[in-house]
């Protein structure tokens, strides 16, 4: 019985093997007869294409606008010496204005390379770094990340600013206002107004907070602008004579203006987003609508 079963199995296996070989040969022959593979056909596109983040898009647009106005890009570190972030900007240790920017300290003591360091709270230290490196006239802009102990719908612990600095002979508040008006017009389009409110920053005199027409209600007054028709977007002013002296410039000879603008705020206003935190949560359902 065993011998008969083995013989039957061998026969079946033999037939199966032969048929498999025949099928493989036929397949190969069919492939060789078929038209040749076209290696020039375009590849398959990935389903979801990436795109610029709304904050990066705003940042690129701002740099382009400023470049057209004659500003070059300057850079500075995100981990910054306390000296550049505060002291050289007329905020010595214990100056009450330091409280306006809740700070992440990296090191609180020491000298030289181990001197107190902070995660920079604004892009203004790049003003000092740029002025120390060269003589006026000077027109720079400096975009980048800054850090503060903030966290609510319009304040993020990490956000972006762009600093703009112009130092030359006879620079006036009129130059600042004209530059701001053009800057806002180029970014938002016609019909958006700016409003300057007197304000205090230790590194400028006079100083102003600058508002722009609320993009949600176009100035009529709504919840976002708390009924005022304007939203605050930046701080500005004429460079303080003490800051000019700190970098070896003579305030009798040159003057300048500076402003520092929240890029995320501008991106929020431009795209009608009412909570800044959406920008940084990485939720594709939100980002795909941008
Ligand atoms: C400053 O940071 C000054 N360095 C600006 C300046 C530069 C004044 C040059 C004069 C001359 P302020 O703290 O107001 O100022 O911040 C500037 C802008 O950053 C604000 O108008 C706002 O748009 C944005 N901003 C501030 N804090 C936050 C935050 N936590 N999240 C998002 N945006 C913020």
């Amino acid at each position: 019985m065993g011998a008969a079963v083995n013989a039957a199995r061998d026969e079946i296996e033999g037939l199966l093997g032969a048929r498999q070989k025949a099928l493989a040969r036929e397949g190969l022959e069919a492939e060789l007869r078929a038209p040749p593979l076209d290696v020039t056909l375009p590849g398959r596109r990935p389903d979801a294409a990436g795109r610029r983040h709304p904050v990066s898009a705003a940042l690129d647009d701002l740099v382009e606008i400023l470049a057209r106005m004659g500003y070059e890009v300057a850079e500075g570190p995100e981990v910054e010496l306390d000296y550049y972030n505060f002291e050289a900007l007329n905020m010595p240790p214990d100056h009450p204005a330091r409280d306006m920017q809740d700070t992440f300290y990296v090191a609180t003591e020491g000298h030289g390379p181990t001197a107190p360091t902070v995660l920079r709270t604004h892009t203004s230290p790049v003003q000092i770094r740029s002025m120390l490196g060269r003589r006026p006239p000077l027109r720079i802009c400096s975009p980048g990340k800054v850090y503060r102990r903030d966290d609510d719908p319009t304040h993020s612990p990490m956000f972006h600013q762009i600093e703009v600095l112009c130092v030359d002979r006879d620079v006036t508040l009129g130059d600042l206002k004209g530059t701001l008006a053009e800057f806002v017009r180029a970014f938002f389009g016609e019909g958006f107004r700016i409003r300057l409110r007197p304000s205090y920053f230790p590194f400028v005199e006079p100083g102003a907070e600058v508002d722009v027409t609320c993009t949600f209600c176009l100035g009529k007054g709504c919840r976002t602008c708390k009924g005022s028709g304007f939203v605050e977007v930046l701080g500005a002013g004429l460079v303080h004579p003490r800051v000019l002296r700190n970098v070896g410039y003579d305030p009798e000879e040159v003057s300048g203006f500076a402003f520092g603008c929240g890029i995320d705020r501008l991106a929020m206003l431009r795209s009608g987003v009412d909570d800044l935190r959406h920008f940084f949560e990485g939720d594709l359902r939100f980002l795909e609508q941008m």
Side-chain angles (χ1 to χ4, degrees):
M1 184 65 177
V5 171
N6 280 340
R9 190 199 56 203
D10 288 348
E11 193 183 338
I12 293 169
E13 279 181 354
L15 288 170
L16 271 177
R19 188 67 192 132
Q20 264 170 354
K21 267 192 207 136
L23 283 174
R25 198 172 48 242
E26 275 169 34
L28 184 65
E29 275 164 13
E31 214 175 289
L32 290 172
R33 273 196 310 273
L37 181 70
D38 184 355
V39 292
T40 63
L41 279 176
R44 242 176 249 141
R45 287 185 180 280
D47 290 342
R51 72 195 86 167
R52 279 189 308 173
H53 189 278
V55 173
S56 306
L59 190 154
D60 291 346
D61 290 353
L62 294 172
V63 169
E64 198 184 310
I65 291 167
L66 289 160
R68 279 204 300 269
M69 294 164 84
Y71 289 79
E72 63 184 277
V73 174
E75 288 183 30
E78 288 173 27
V79 179
E80 181 57 284
L81 288 170
D82 178 290
Y83 178 77
Y84 290 123
N85 194 81
F86 290 126
E87 217 166 325
L89 288 164
N90 203 20
M91 280 184 270
D94 305 323
H95 193 292
R98 287 190 178 214
D99 291 346
M100 300 196 306
Q101 303 177 350
D102 282 328
T103 311
F104 293 114
Y105 281 90
V106 177
T108 49
E109 289 171 30
H111 296 287
T114 62
T117 39
V118 296
L119 293 185
R120 65 177 180 185
T121 56
H122 51 175
T123 43
S124 299
V126 185
Q127 287 188 33
I128 303 297
R129 289 181 174 274
S130 307
M131 288 192 285
L132 278 176
R134 51 205 276 190
R135 309 295 311 165
L138 186 97
R139 279 173 184 70
I140 58 115
C141 65
S142 185
K145 293 187 171 64
V146 304
Y147 305 83
R148 294 185 196 176
R149 276 195 57 221
D150 282 347
D151 197 11
D152 68 44
T154 54
H155 292 84
S156 157
M158 183 286 302
F159 60 104
H160 300 78
Q161 286 189 340
I162 186 162
E163 193 78 11
V164 177
L165 171 71
C166 165
V167 184
D168 205 338
R169 286 182 187 279
D170 304 322
V171 174
T172 67
L173 203 58
D175 297 315
L176 169 63
K177 234 182 134 177
T179 305
L180 285 172
E182 173 55 21
F183 178 74
V184 165
R185 192 203 59 77
F187 186 76
F188 287 109
E190 303 295 339
F192 286 85
R193 293 180 46 222
I194 54 166
R195 178 174 82 172
L196 273 71
R197 283 177 291 113
S199 183
Y200 174 68
F201 299 96
F203 36 95
V204 288
E205 180 59 37
E209 234 145 8
V210 180
D211 305 334
V212 44
T213 308
C214 175
T215 50
F216 289 89
C217 62
L218 296 177
K220 289 187 202 77
C222 67
R223 233 175 44 168
T224 306
C225 61
K226 299 190 186 87
S228 70
F230 284 94
V231 185
E232 181 211 316
V233 289
L234 60 91
L238 293 186
V239 182
H240 198 290
R242 205 169 291 151
V243 173
L244 292 174
R245 267 188 233 110
N246 282 347
V247 295
Y249 292 1
D250 180 357
E252 300 295 323
E253 261 182 35
V254 291
S255 55
F257 67 71
F259 58 92
C261 181
I263 298 179
D264 323 75
R265 285 277 170 86
L266 292 188
M268 257 176 102
L269 285 172
R270 186 161 75 167
S271 42
V273 172
D274 59 3
D275 190 330
L276 189 61
R277 292 172 295 194
H278 290 316
F279 282 143
F280 307 118
E281 282 167 356
D283 186 337
L284 284 179
R285 288 170 306 177
F286 166 78
L287 291 172
E288 278 169 358
Q289 292 175 47
M290 290 287 103

